[in-house]
Amino acid sequence: MTSTVTVFAPTNPTHVALLPSFADIHIACIETDDMIATFTPPLKRDVIIDWWKERAADAAEGKRIIIMALAEDSAGREQLAGYVMLYRPLNEVEPTRAGVEKLLVSPNFRRRGLARMLMEKLEEEAKSHGQTLLMLDTETGSPAEMIYPKLGYIQLGIVPKFGLSPVDGSLIAATFFWKQL
């Protein structure tokens, strides 16, 4: 099965038509993995679609770069399989810093190397924009926490009681990472 990684183009109608699929992956990752990912149950698909429309608007303004992975499903149809965002705060005192956000791969497309492919493309895009210091956070104890060191990210530290668990509303720690490109 083939996979391609590309930059989301907010002026491309085909890409914009994928925004509900972005929301569906977001929902699937929260429901399947009980991960902290912006929203807590009960999840409202229309609210999450609107949130992704806002991210697309940020991409149109150059504030974010959204990287998408497209992959063939078992029937050979190309689908959105995952994504990650590069948040570009663009300020005068930190011109080389950017944030990595929402590395999410659909449960239906895991174990194919898509997370690595997405992050490699994100880093390529960051470098092309002069942003060479990447920072991110992820839920402590999550599978994602194990991915980032394999990609060369250095753990900065753990902040306890950082975000709400979608399971029971308790506060969960977050692990922060950085990487100099």
Side-chain angles (χ1 to χ4, degrees), residues 3-131:
S3 303
T4 58
V5 175
T6 189
V7 174
F8 174 86
T11 57
N12 181 327
T14 303
H15 289 190
V16 173
L18 291 172
L19 290 175
S21 296
F22 277 84
D24 292 340
I25 290 172
H26 204 145
I27 291 166
C29 289
I30 294 170
E31 291 179 343
T32 301
D33 304 323
D34 295 325
M35 70 169 41
I36 295 175
T38 309
F39 302 97
T40 59
L43 301 171
K44 298 176 186 92
R45 185 173 186 262
D46 58 328
V47 170
I48 298 173
I49 290 171
D50 287 344
W51 188 87
W52 275 103
K53 288 177 182 175
E54 291 171 11
R55 305 295 80 78
D58 286 349
E61 295 175 14
K63 294 177 186 175
R64 281 187 170 76
I65 297 172
I66 304 170
I67 312 295
M68 2 179 250
L70 303 168
E72 289 182 359
D73 63 15
S74 57
R77 295 178 303 242
E78 188 174 69
Q79 293 186 20
L80 181 68
Y83 46 78
V84 66
M85 291 187 289
L86 180 70
Y87 173 60
R88 306 177 64 231
L90 303 178
N91 63 61
E92 291 180 7
V93 297
E94 299 168 334
T96 63
R97 183 178 62 86
V100 176
E101 302 176 326
K102 300 291 176 276
L103 174 60
L104 299 177
V105 175
S106 166
N108 299 327
F109 290 95
R110 292 185 180 163
R111 305 265 182 247
R112 296 186 188 186
L114 294 177
R116 177 177 292 279
M117 291 169 60
L118 285 162
M119 290 300 291
E120 287 171 354
K121 181 67 172 172
L122 176 135
E123 290 176 9
E124 177 185 309
E125 287 295 317
K127 283 194 278 189
S128 76
H129 288 86
Q131 294 179 298

